[in-house]
Every structure is written in C-alpha cells, then in structure tokens.
Amino acid sequence: MRPLGSMSIAVWVLLAACQQCVSADRGLLVPLEVSQHNSTLYAACKMRPSTSLPEGLPKVYGQVLFKQEYPQGKLKVLLRFNGFPKEDNPEPRAVHIHQYGDLSRGCDTTGGHYNPHGVHHPNHPGDFGNFESQNGKINVMIESEAQLFGGLSVLGRAVVIHEKVDDLGQGGDAGSLLHGNAGRRLACCIIGVSSPSLWNNYHKQYGQRRQLRRN
Ligand SMILES: [Cu+2]
Ligand SMILES: [Zn+2]
C-alpha cells in the first residue's frame, strides 16, 4: 500500500474532525435566543376563541407564557385567560398541550394530547390540570414537565383550554385515559419563541397580585 502523503493525511484529519464537529453540534443544538437572554428561553402563545366554537360557549382570550433555563431548568408557565362567565362557583376548566400547531379548523385540528412517551392521561407532559376562574379570569403560574429544549420541545405545538373539568384519568372510561373528558375546545394557540419582555411584564404583575392577595 502506498504510504499516505502529508496532504492526504491532512485531508483525512480534517474530514474526521468535521464529522465529530457535526455530531457534537447536533447534540448541543440550542436556539440562539438562549445565549442572548442569559441562558434562558422564553415562549409565548396568544389564546383566541376557536373559530369552530359553538354558539353559547364563552369566548376566551389570553396568553400562555413560558420560561425555561438551559439546560436543566424546570419549565415555568404563566396562564392568563379572560372571558369566562362571572359565576359564584365556576367549574374549573382543563388546559393541555395538544400535538399539532395547526389551527386551520380552529382548535379541532390540534390533534390529541401531546404524548411523546405513549402513556395514559394525565401523565402527558402538557397536562397542566384544572383552573378555576375568578371574576371571569384565570391568572396562575405553574411548573411543568414539558420542555422547550431538544427533541421533546413543545415549541410549535398548541395549548388548548376546554369547556369542562379534566377528570384526571379517574373517569373509568377510555376517554378519561386519553383526554380526561374535558369537553369542547374553547380557545387555543400555537407556542412560539418570544423575547423575555412579555414574561417580565406579566410576571411582575403576577407577583404584585399575589402580594396583594396575601396582604
Ligand atoms: Cu386538551
Ligand atoms: Zn393528557
């Protein structure tokens, strides 16, 4: 065999290095915004009533805001909704992440619950639970198992708020283990990367409201 010339060795080394470089990059693929915003990624979702909403159901508007520190931070979610009837004892309503960011036929085209691990409801990463309105509004912050990073990222998927309470898998039928029998889809939105400004604004307000309630 002809010994490798210094030129071909250099080419081989370059190729090998380049291959490593590509696979390393794939493993560490992080949105640009993480380095721009102090190792944190923000996302936002603007809720609007489903275009296929039947008459007589409430028209819900609002925002769902997300914040997660790279790489291991727990996802924080701010839920801000309005437009519920002002009742004395409002029934809590379910909020979930659904699979598709497709609103072409209102919230009906967002598919079922986002279920990357093939498990039963309510163990899906976007099963946020039930939320009760106060004075026609919902304002809460929760922590979630969902992710903004990596292959399981919920970016581009949908948040849906439902007509009814989620039975949390305790309903004793097939629907309960799929979607919690939470009824019609009132409003939905698609989760997209955002700047930190919405989070910073509303998080401050949320903190003040909490403070007021405590005092
Ligand atoms: Cu749902
Ligand atoms: Zn679920």
Side-chain angles (χ1 to χ4, degrees):
M1 206 171 78
R2 197 164 63 91
L4 289 171
S6 62
M7 190 63 169
S8 51
I9 289 176
V11 169
W12 184 84
V13 168
L14 255 176
L15 279 173
C18 188
Q19 257 165 8
Q20 262 178 8
C21 157
V22 168
S23 61
D25 271 348
R26 262 187 208 143
L28 295 170
L29 203 56
V30 179
L32 169 73
E33 288 78 6
V34 170
S35 56
Q36 292 175 334
H37 302 137
N38 201 18
S39 297
T40 305
L41 189 59
Y42 297 83
C45 194
K46 190 175 167 67
M47 275 277 168
R48 293 164 204 267
S50 180
T51 52
S52 55
L53 188 71
E55 281 291 310
L57 289 180
K59 288 190 168 57
V60 175
Y61 292 87
Q63 272 160 338
V64 188
L65 305 177
F66 300 82
K67 176 184 181 180
Q68 188 174 25
E69 263 173 54
Y70 183 80
Q72 303 286 356
K74 188 103 172 161
L75 181 68
K76 293 192 171 103
V77 186
L78 265 172
L79 304 160
R80 311 179 67 247
F81 303 126
N82 63 77
F84 300 104
K86 294 179 182 171
E87 302 159 324
D88 282 343
N89 290 306
E91 192 188 20
R93 300 179 194 261
V95 181
H96 314 121
I97 296 177
H98 285 234
Q99 185 172 4
Y100 302 122
D102 174 4
L103 308 188
S104 57
R105 276 183 283 123
C107 307
D108 297 336
T109 31
T110 60
H113 289 197
Y114 176 49
N115 186 10
H117 303 297
V119 296
H120 284 150
H121 181 78
N123 300 309
H124 307 134
D127 289 341
F128 291 159
N130 290 309
F131 302 92
E132 210 172 273
S133 59
Q134 276 186 334
N135 220 5
K137 295 179 182 177
I138 291 172
N139 281 295
V140 271
M141 187 167 77
I142 58 166
E143 286 192 331
S144 169
E145 293 303 317
Q147 289 289 321
L148 296 183
F149 302 115
L152 299 182
S153 172
V154 296
L155 289 169
R157 304 186 188 278
V159 180
V160 177
I161 180 155
H162 289 263
E163 176 193 4
K164 294 183 188 164
V165 68
D166 185 329
D167 69 21
L168 303 174
Q170 304 298 306
D173 58 9
S176 181
L177 297 174
L178 274 177
H179 46 59
N181 295 319
R184 304 299 289 253
R185 302 172 179 193
L186 297 180
C188 55
C189 55
I190 303 172
I191 305 167
V193 174
S194 77
S195 83
S197 62
L198 276 174
W199 178 279
N200 289 340
N201 284 345
Y202 292 124
H203 187 252
K204 224 180 287 165
Q205 285 181 16
Y206 171 82
Q208 282 166 353
R209 235 192 314 267
R210 291 267 295 199
Q211 205 81 39
L212 285 174
R213 236 181 255 161
R214 234 179 278 142
N215 289 346

